[in-house]
Amino acid sequence: MAEAVAEGAKTVEGVEVELSYYVPPEALSSFDAIIIGVPTYHHDMTLDIKNLFEEAAAKNIALKGKIGAAFGSYGWSGEAPKLVLEIMKNKFEMQVTESPLLVRYTPDQSALETCRALGKRVAEKLIHPS
Ligand SMILES: Cc1cc2nc3c(=O)[nH]c(=O)nc-3n(C[C@H](O)[C@H](O)[C@H](O)COP(=O)(O)O)c2cc1C
């Protein structure tokens, strides 16, 4: 899913895309948009993402105004991407315009296309903020 989101973002000219499985909290401030992929485990986001937010908050990493989006695979309840967006918006004052993108278990071709479309929309918003 993350690769498809990145692929979609890369189709937009003028946008640099970085796909990482780990980002130190300090690095977050160097991006204009942050799209987090996170599966739901035990009705929650995974600990790596929770820790990333905890550390970013503790270190007062400024993310205000940056574009935020979230996606994730899930089994039956799928809370994680929604929780991520709430934190982006309420704690870090990021711009959240996209709904959480949820895919049940393994993404099929159509789900991957939805992921590409998300990446593309976020990248276009960077080029044409409205
Ligand atoms: C221990 C465990 C707990 C899970 N808890 C939830 C849950 O609370 N809600 C949900 O929607 N899916 C839950 N799932 C399903 C996963 O979200 C689903 O398998 C997802 O596709 C995992 O993505 P990943 O392979 O990228 O880690 C759980 C799976 C496991 C193994």
Side-chain angles (χ1 to χ4, degrees):
M1 289 176 73
E3 283 169 7
V5 171
E7 261 173 46
K10 281 179 189 164
T11 63
V12 178
E13 207 175 319
V15 172
E16 271 180 53
V17 180
E18 191 174 317
L19 171 59
S20 302
Y21 288 88
Y22 170 74
V23 178
E26 294 81 3
L28 291 175
S29 55
S30 65
F31 298 102
D32 299 314
I34 299 165
I35 310 178
I36 291 187
V38 59
T40 300
Y41 281 86
H42 308 292
H43 297 273
D44 207 345
M45 68 185 81
T46 49
L47 273 180
D48 54 345
I49 301 299
K50 198 174 269 195
N51 288 338
L52 177 65
F53 282 135
E54 281 289 328
E55 287 175 35
K59 293 180 176 176
N60 283 318
I61 307 292
L63 304 178
K64 187 172 179 173
K66 294 180 189 296
I67 297 170
F71 63 91
S73 170
Y74 75 106
W76 51 91
S77 57
E79 288 92 340
K82 181 169 177 274
L83 294 171
V84 163
L85 293 181
E86 281 176 5
I87 292 170
M88 285 174 160
K89 189 172 163 195
N90 297 311
K91 167 63 194 161
F92 292 100
E93 299 180 80
M94 294 173 68
Q95 277 187 70
V96 170
T97 52
E98 293 286 341
S99 307
L101 193 170
L102 290 168
V103 173
R104 193 139 191 251
Y105 293 115
T106 307
D108 58 14
Q109 282 309 316
S110 138
L112 291 176
E113 201 42 58
T114 311
C115 293
R116 285 187 199 97
L118 171 73
K120 187 168 184 226
R121 281 196 307 277
V122 170
E124 279 168 346
K125 196 164 168 56
L126 282 176
I127 299 291
H128 306 291
S130 52

